[in-house]
Structures are given as C-alpha cells and as structure tokens.
Amino acid sequence: MSMITERSVKRRSPGVAEPAPREEARRGRMAVFRGYLSLTKPAIVELLLVTTVPTMMLAAGGWPDLVTFFAVLVGGALAGGAASALNCYIDRDIDVLMKRTKRRPLPTHQITPRAVLIFGLTLAVVSVVLMAVLTNWLATALTAFSIFYYDVIYTLWLKRRTPANTFWGGVCGAAPVVIGWAAVTGSIAPMGWALFAVVFFWQMPHFYALAIKYRDDYARAGVPMLPVVRSAARVNFEILLYTVLTVAFSLIAWPLGRDLGLGWIYGVAAVLTGALFLGESIRLVHQTRNGGLVKPMRLFQLSITYLTLLFMAIAVDALI
C-alpha cells in the first residue's frame, strides 16, 4: 500500500487542457515507483557493486562463472536495497528533522511505514534465498549478517548512541567485498581481508566529510556523529588516521595479490590515487585549522573517485 502526498493545485492558463485521468494515474504510479526506488538508495548500491565485482574477478582470476556473477550482482543489489529501505523505516523519525533527508518518501508521507517495512523485508528474504540457491553457505551467511548488522546493530543501536557509529558501521559497507570473494572461492583469503580493510577504513574520511557538511542536521536530529560531539581537532586526526590506513592497506594488498594477477596497473593506481586522497584529506585539515573556507564535499567526492579507480585497476589487472 502507498499514499501519495497532496499537491497544491496550480491554476492553468486559458486554453490549456487539464491532464486526462489516465495521465494523472500514470504520473502517480511513476511517483510511487521512484519513491520505492529511492528507498533502496541506488547510489550506495552502485558503490557497493563497484567494489564487489572487481573483487570477484580477482578471486576468480578473470570473469567468474555467470551463475555466481549473476547471484552476487543481483543478490548484492537486493541486499543493499533491503538494508537501505529498512534503514529508512527505522530512521523515519529523524529523517523528517534533517534537511538532507526530509524529502524521502516516509517524511513526505508518499509511502506508508508499513509498506516500506514489507518492501524491505521482502527484498531481504529474496536476496538471501537467491544467494543460498546460487552460491554457498558462507556467502549467504555473510549476506544475511550484513543486513542484520546494518539495520539492527548499527541503525537501531549504535547510530544514536555513540560517536563511534561510523567506525562500527563500516563493517556493513565493507562486507560486500568478502561476500564476493566467498561466493567465488567458498572461503576468504588474506587478499580478501586486505580489500575489506581498504573499504572499511575508507568509510571514515568519506562519511566524516559528509557529517561536517551536514553537522547541523545531525545535531538537530540528536545523532552523535563525530563532528557533532567532538572537537575539530579530533575529527581532523581521525580523517588523517583513517586515510593513511586506507592507503596503507591498498599498498599491502599489492604484494598479497601478485600471485592472483595483481600487477603494475594496480600498483601505480594505488600509489597515485592514494596520494591524491591523502592530499585532499590534508587540505581539508589545513582549511579547518586555519579558519579558512572549509569544503568537505571535495573530500567526499574525491573519496568516491579514489575507490572507483582503485577497484577498476583491480578489474583490469585481473583480466590481463
């Protein structure tokens, strides 16, 4: 079930025909479809798949078999969408308080909470069943655990109680890497854990930059994100620390993956993109310390570019 928000009636100029009832109904259905799609947070799902597919290719020494590839691609997208939809259901009380999230389907009453809950749970069940049928028990268990962890441990418990929420929540964001590895090999090798570490540590500077931008939003909603409850110096320290750890594990992964085909393309990409990522983190810290104009979204956007290019290099090395 869904509910479309009422819209103000605009006066039409003379001679302009009113939309036909079928056209209005079609627009209403499209609006509901877009609402459900937005609940899955497609941009996040896309980023998860950007890291998962190259990891699978490296684990397989090329393209994985089509059944496994399909299962992880579709199952992973459904699992990510399920976790995001359930997150929207749980956070509907704080989403309405934040400018960044108040236009989501639940705060605007476009879709009912009950419908969102059913939608999220359905996606979760379908994703886990798909993984169970087409992959193996380890990949399936990790998929189910990642949904549970994100929605119950992170969203329900950690997010509203501790400024370490981003750190512990990073487990969910990095889980698709080891899920992809496990789906291909049935286990998780040190290389898989190294890539997990890259994505895990990457999330702190990535999300801290976003939290700096929307600090007032989080404060209004009572969410103890690090930039809300800690000093700028502490936030700067953690941004630099986790950027260094991200780059360090990307370099550690190079020798670990050589026997799997990880070569000079990845090595060059890790060094160059890591230098750019670290440089932008230092720039943000410098701006904050000197009282200049702080532009945290530059780091946020560059962090996405960094992760995308790094994993694209993995895919290229896996194929040649």
Side-chain angles (χ1 to χ4, degrees), residues 41-182:
K41 302 179 184 176
I44 295 177
V45 172
E46 179 184 356
L47 193 59
L48 295 177
L49 296 179
V50 162
T51 60
T52 306
V53 173
T55 300
M56 293 174 66
M57 294 169 66
L58 184 64
W63 286 106
D65 70 86
L66 289 179
V67 172
T68 302
F69 183 77
F70 169 83
V72 176
L73 198 66
V74 177
L78 291 175
S84 294
L86 293 171
N87 169 267
C88 288
Y89 171 80
I90 296 166
D91 277 351
R92 63 192 185 278
D93 60 326
I94 61 174
D95 279 352
V96 73
L97 302 174
M98 299 195 294
K99 293 179 181 178
R100 186 172 68 90
T101 57
K102 68 180 183 179
R103 294 187 181 277
R104 287 177 177 173
L106 279 169
T108 59
H109 307 292
Q110 184 184 27
I111 304 174
T112 65
R114 181 175 181 272
V116 173
L117 178 61
I118 294 172
F119 176 64
L121 291 175
T122 301
L123 290 184
V125 170
V126 172
S127 67
V128 173
V129 169
L130 184 66
M131 294 293 289
V133 172
L134 298 180
T135 63
N136 53 61
W137 71 267
L138 180 57
T140 302
L142 289 170
T143 300
F145 175 74
S146 66
I147 297 171
F148 174 83
Y149 188 101
Y150 183 70
D151 290 313
V152 177
I153 298 177
Y154 169 71
T155 305
L156 271 175
W157 180 32
L158 297 172
K159 183 175 181 178
R160 307 191 192 199
R161 287 173 172 79
T162 172
N165 51 22
T166 304
F167 178 86
W168 294 110
V171 172
C172 316
V177 173
V178 289
I179 291 171
W181 196 285

Side-chain angles (χ1 to χ4, degrees), residues 231-253:
S231 67
R234 170 66 180 274
V235 177
N236 288 343
F237 170 76
E238 294 207 13
I239 285 175
L240 283 179
L241 171 64
Y242 292 119
T243 301
V244 169
L245 287 172
T246 301
V247 176
F249 272 96
S250 74
L251 297 175
I252 290 171

